[in-house]
Amino acid sequence: MILNATRGKPLPVYGDGSNVRDWLYVTDHCTGIRAALERGRPGETYNIGGRSEKTNLEVVRTLCAILDELHPASPVTPHASLITFVKDRPGHDWRYAIDCTKIEDELGWRPKETFGTGIRKTVRWYLEQREWVEG
């Protein structure tokens, strides 16, 4: 979505964008894995979640708002004008949710980033790593 938006390409959103996902910043995911490896009980399963459920449309609109602020030189602004609703996939799950109570209670792990701080860091990373991204 970030790359499409900065290139002025459509931002396809399935259906009406109401499908829900739990969002977690990549570094928090890595620290959750590390916590499970270092402190978890062998053979146990630990769900790593962000406790940050958002609709797909909320996520895309958030990306667009951040790009409007951080990358106003894009070919098309406001970036939200690029949102395009496309036919949903058959059998597409409406909600992916994680119960991360076990990793929180047993291992003391919790995400450090909120959805807002994590998504902003992600957009900034893509904008600052253009050469790598383009490669």
Side-chain angles (χ1 to χ4, degrees), residues 107-120:
L107 307 183
W109 176 89
R110 282 175 179 63
K112 294 194 182 331
E113 300 293 338
T114 65
F115 171 76
T117 61
I119 199 78
R120 181 172 283 277

Side-chain angles (χ1 to χ4, degrees), residues 11 22-23 35 41 48 51 54 75 81 96 109-110 113 133:
L11 305 178
D22 182 29
W23 292 89
R41 290 179 284 141
I48 304 167
R51 294 199 182 274
K54 305 284 182 198
S81 67
Y96 295 154
W109 176 89
R110 282 175 179 63
E113 300 293 338
V133 169

